[in-house]
Amino acid sequence: MNRTKAYSAASSTSPLTLDAIQRRTPTERDVQIEILFCGICHSDLHTVRNEWSSIMPTVYPCVPGHEIVGRVTRIGTKVTRFKTGDLVGVGCLVDSDHTCPNCKDGLEQLCPNQTLTFNSPDKHLGGVTYGGYSERIVVDEHFVLRVPVNLNLPGVAPLLCAGITTYSPMRRWGDIKGKKVGVVGLGGLGHMGVKFARAFGAKVVVFTTSPDKKEDALRLGAHEVVISRNGDEMQKHAGSFDFILDTVAADHDINAYINLLGRDGNITLVGAPEKPLAVSAFALLFGRRSLSGSIIGGIPETQEMLDFCGEHNITADVEVIPIQKVNEAYERMVKSDVKYRFSIDMASLKSEYNQQSKQ
Ligand code: NAP
Ligand code: ZN
């Protein structure tokens, strides 16, 4: 076991503060990673504030963070795919049962016995898993990804969640080249959705509640931007979309977007608001439209996405912050004031004075 500095929340109303946690000594198939950067996902905030209490209640203390990029510092005796010094990533999953039909298909994100990177029962140490707002992490090599070395590291971290969460449903939809694709919400997930949709050759329309993001949306790759609170602007697109990706983190009118789909059009939810959304059956019936959901992606597809990003030089647009600013970053994220992902420079945690870590 080794003691590791981390930032944790003690309750749903507490700020994140400096803490010390235990990491296991690597077993024969484990990789130990020194964390360099960790993105801040809205799911971190939902979990810290226990907003998903009915589905996944939060166990405290909670150390969030599942957009991890770092360097391998130690490997177990049976590790074959990594060596010390390798640049690697870890996303939302650190384990699964490896035997169920989903795992056999490389869809570990759908395994009923998966272990999430934080707030999941920890099979090794008991208690719950602790995420990436920490100096280091120990992970089964199956869940460790290779990071292309040509990419800007702070911007790579968000690929491990925001990247795969938007890449996977677009790939699954089929070939979106030349199709009309909408992305709802220009936050961490949304801005990656725009980059991927553009890279796949779609005609991309961004729906935003923030008029000041218009220029950025165009720069990120959108062909058109719609201010979603403007009914007239929305109406112009009625019945015209092939596919819409909804990344909104809060309550919103989903029917307004279903009505924008054309025949057999699909809207996929990746955003996970706290409360259920009201869906109009008629909006779906007319036009034979469908509504679906998608959650991150499996390990093989996550590697494929990282390799795709390496080839096309795609990373997240990030604001790099020291970990001491994490609570401020959460407040800004709630106000949609992030362009477009916070990435924590973990050197700031290493250098933080910590009486506990000296004991
Ligand atoms: P984020 O950076 O906060 O972005 C969410 C965006 O939604 C905001 O930037 C804002 O965009 C828009 N928005 C916020 N409040 C809104 C409201 N009341 N009405 C309409 N639009 C609103 O969050 P994120 O990290 O991208 O995560 C988005 C959601 O996806 C969260 O619920 C998160 O938990 C979930 N998530 C799901 C998965 C998965 O596997 N399915 C993975 C990761 C995250 P505009 O300013 O452009 O309107
Ligand atoms: Zn996430």
Side-chain angles (χ1 to χ4, degrees):
M1 299 253 277
N2 60 69
R3 212 172 158 84
T4 305
K5 279 196 242 176
Y7 258 54
S8 74
S11 77
S12 63
T13 52
S14 311
L16 290 146
T17 53
L18 185 61
D19 197 356
I21 57 167
Q22 297 292 346
R23 294 294 190 197
R24 65 181 182 264
T25 303
T27 66
E28 51 189 26
R29 297 196 192 279
D30 280 339
V31 172
Q32 179 179 292
I33 301 159
E34 210 65 20
I35 301 176
L36 298 172
F37 293 94
C38 184
I40 299 183
C41 179
H42 208 114
S43 305
D44 300 353
L45 185 153
H46 287 306
T47 308
V48 162
R49 298 188 177 176
N50 205 13
E51 289 174 356
W52 292 337
S53 57
S54 57
I55 312 284
M56 292 186 269
T58 306
V59 176
Y60 296 95
C62 171
V63 178
H66 58 204
E67 296 186 334
I68 296 166
V69 63
R71 229 172 249 293
V72 175
T73 48
R74 198 170 158 188
I75 54 168
T77 51
K78 293 202 171 145
V79 167
T80 56
R81 294 171 47 239
F82 299 98
K83 58 180 190 323
T84 303
D86 284 354
L87 210 47
V88 294
V90 177
C92 303
L93 296 166
V94 290
D95 208 354
S96 66
D97 63 23
H98 302 264
T99 53
C100 74
N102 293 319
C103 285
K104 287 194 170 143
D105 287 342
L107 299 171
E108 297 87 346
Q109 81 277 25
L110 305 177
C111 171
N113 301 306
Q114 63 187 211
T115 305
L116 296 170
T117 306
F118 63 89
N119 200 42
S120 253
D122 186 327
K123 288 183 201 163
H124 297 265
L125 299 180
V128 291
T129 50
Y130 294 132
Y133 297 7
S134 57
E135 288 178 288
R136 68 187 72 89
I137 191 165
V138 178
V139 182
D140 178 325
E141 74 162 329
H142 181 78
F143 294 87
V144 179
L145 288 308
R146 288 183 309 280
V147 167
V149 291
N150 59 314
L151 297 175
N152 158 49
L153 276 192
V156 167
L159 300 179
L160 277 304
C161 175
I164 183 61
T165 300
T166 50
Y167 180 96
S168 180
M170 283 190 208
R171 282 298 203 209
R172 188 173 146 67
W173 188 86
D175 186 2
I176 62 170
K177 193 169 183 332
K179 303 289 182 193
K180 189 168 173 186
V181 169
V183 176
V184 187
L186 197 66
L189 266 57
H191 94 292
M192 289 311 307
V194 172
K195 291 187 186 206
F196 287 131
R198 184 64 190 247
F200 298 155
K203 175 168 176 11
V204 188
V205 181
V206 164
F207 295 93
T208 180
T209 58
S210 311
D212 64 310
K213 292 182 182 172
K214 194 165 181 171
E215 290 305 311
D216 277 345
L218 297 170
R219 175 181 58 77
L220 292 164
H223 294 93
E224 201 177 331
V225 183
V226 173
I227 307 303
S228 52
R229 294 198 166 124
N230 181 327
D232 292 341
E233 272 192 58
M234 292 286 281
Q235 195 48 38
K236 279 186 208 152
H237 292 272
S240 68
F241 280 86
D242 296 294
F243 176 71
I244 297 177
L245 188 68
D246 184 337
T247 77
V248 176
D251 194 21
H252 62 293
D253 179 14
I254 183 86
N255 303 307
Y257 296 100
I258 296 176
N259 285 325
L260 302 189
L261 294 169
R263 189 183 73 201
D264 292 325
N266 170 261
I267 180 164
T268 295
L269 295 180
V270 284
E274 182 180 356
K275 298 201 176 75
L277 299 169
V279 178
S280 153
F282 283 101
L284 290 174
L285 304 185
F286 287 110
R288 217 163 50 181
R289 298 150 169 160
S290 64
L291 165 67
S292 38
S294 187
I295 187 156
I296 47 172
I299 296 301
E301 195 176 40
T302 305
Q303 189 62 61
E304 176 193 306
M305 178 273 312
L306 285 168
D307 295 343
F308 180 88
C309 289
E311 277 163 39
H312 297 264
N313 204 21
I314 293 174
T315 50
D317 284 29
V318 290
E319 179 176 337
V320 177
I321 58 162
I323 197 154
Q324 294 76 14
K325 292 228 162 143
V326 67
N327 297 300
E328 201 180 298
Y330 274 30
E331 289 312 313
R332 285 181 52 196
M333 187 157 64
V334 171
K335 292 186 210 138
S336 304
D337 174 25
V338 46
K339 290 179 175 168
Y340 281 87
R341 196 57 137 190
F342 292 111
S343 184
I344 304 168
D345 182 350
M346 225 39 87
S348 61
L349 176 58
K350 280 201 175 309
S351 61
E352 184 162 347
Y353 177 74
N354 178 10
Q355 193 59 45
Q356 285 171 305
S357 68
K358 290 188 148 191
Q359 289 167 359

